[in-house]
Amino acid sequence: MSHAFQQCIHPDCQTTYDLGQILTACKKCGSLLDIQYNWDRVSVPSSMKEFEKRWASRLNPLDFSGVWRFRNLLPFPADSDIVTIGEGQTILQKNDLLGAKIGMNADSLFLQYEGLNPSGSFKDNGMTAASTHAKMVGAKITACASTGNTSASLAIYAGVSGLFKCVVFVGSGKIAYGKLSQALDYGATTLQIKGDFDDALARVRELCDQHPIYLCNSVNPFRLEGQKTIMYRIMEGLGWEVPDWIVVPGGNLGNSSSFGKAFIELKQLGLIDRVPRLAIINAAGASTLDQLFNSDELRWNDGKNDSDLIRNYYEVMDKEDQRASTLASAIEINRPVNLVKALRALSFCDGVVRSVSDQQIVDSRAMIAATGFGCEPASGATIAGLQMLREEGVIAASDRVACVLTGHQLKDPDLTVAYHTGDPKKHEEKLHPAGVFEMPYANPPIVVENDVAAIVSALGLG
Ligand code: F0G
């Protein structure tokens, strides 16, 4: 038996498949798949600190990568199959200025800034792993549906590696321009579907079922293996200690799922002795997880979760044609494909779920930026959620909290400019229909005559 394999997550099924199979669901029961390891057949370090040795050999691309530096904890490929473009060079940064504004003590708030990845979002952590598997199985064409970042990430890996072509599906009018420009620029074949992300994902799954095209959305279990490393880097930033809380925006719930798996494995391997709590933050206009978890009390329940509850929820959603709607376009998703894995993560990490309004999202995004950490709206949901959980007293001022800033500020400049300028036209188009009327953190440009006296006066110096 090989040291790594794919396995159905349903406890009554647990069918295994070898690494060479291209699957995004169990062939027997349709449940999601995990990558599992026979840990006794691979070399696992005795402590996380051992990974620090690789800092000294970073001229080796595998040691330079913030994902593959930890390859002993995602040992599915041979080193020679790894496709890396230097992803994961991201670090945990303490932000006391922002912490003070939202009621955290000093030394308590940390931001894991994933916008610094090659394509500007956390997706590269996963796409390096999916691309590696695509190479292992000899894929010639890859595809994904995307609210923008997955497509940018897949497009860069396809472009740089030259190993495969890529086709990306985006919902029409549903993608921030920074992200669309990346897919186009990196040479992806880009299809704008007349529909939203949920439609685009359904179509790309059909396409990949019927044709030899390799799917890179987060139903791909290999992709999620790479995203585990975001948690390792957070621990690294804390001297290998586990924070009290991880706060992450929830869209398709791939990140939340992989974070849960990371901690399940680290605990199982004896590399940590406690796990952090997990807070998943939905946008109020795309709050399926919040509804199912908090209102309907859906739980993981050792894998035997109430599938009728989920089915009924989606039936009502379809009947009433409820569509996801939020300015945080990255998380504008009503059918999160990793829902069940996210329930597992919530169960293992004693997690909570909250929804925040678009007003809270854009204000939090601006607050984060004003302390020097530019991020896109979806990432702003983390601080909005943290603020809510502080006010509720769920998170204490002294808890050590790591918020994952998932995407770069320049991904969605239109929204940022609309917020700061107060331009009535942009207001109408972007902000008001979404229910955003206040801009307390706006920093508008000052219009001034082309004249130094006027400039001095505008600066209040004269
Ligand atoms: N933040 C950003 C910036 C994202 O791009 C996404 C997802 C999320 C958060 C949510 O992460 O799906 O793991 O819960 N973007 C996907 C995309 C859906 O197509 O780029 P998740």
Side-chain angles (χ1 to χ4, degrees), residues 364-383:
S364 297
R365 200 213 60 77
M367 278 169 74
I368 298 166
T371 60
F373 293 83
C375 66
E376 64 168 285
S379 315
T382 54
I383 293 299

Side-chain angles (χ1 to χ4, degrees), residues 179-202:
K179 305 175 188 183
L180 181 59
S181 68
Q182 289 180 288
L184 301 176
D185 235 12
Y186 295 135
T189 302
T190 305
L191 300 180
Q192 283 190 290
I193 301 290
K194 290 184 184 161
D196 60 14
F197 172 83
D198 294 314
D199 296 319
L201 184 55

Side-chain angles (χ1 to χ4, degrees), residues 122-123 146-150 250-255 330-331 333 376 378 406:
F122 75 91
K123 301 285 178 181
S146 184
T147 55
N149 283 324
T150 306
N252 230 358
L253 302 176
N255 250 349
I331 51 174
I333 296 170
E376 64 168 285
T406 45

Side-chain angles (χ1 to χ4, degrees), residues 258-301:
S258 71
F259 298 171
K261 185 169 188 281
F263 290 114
I264 290 170
E265 290 171 354
L266 291 181
K267 189 89 196 312
Q268 185 191 346
L269 291 168
L271 291 169
I272 53 174
D273 49 22
R274 68 179 190 96
V275 290
R277 295 189 68 188
L278 180 66
I280 305 178
I281 314 299
N282 276 163
S287 60
T288 297
L289 180 67
D290 180 23
Q291 301 291 330
L292 284 170
F293 187 79
N294 289 321
S295 306
D296 298 342
E297 296 182 8
L298 178 69
R299 291 294 181 272
W300 165 243
N301 196 23

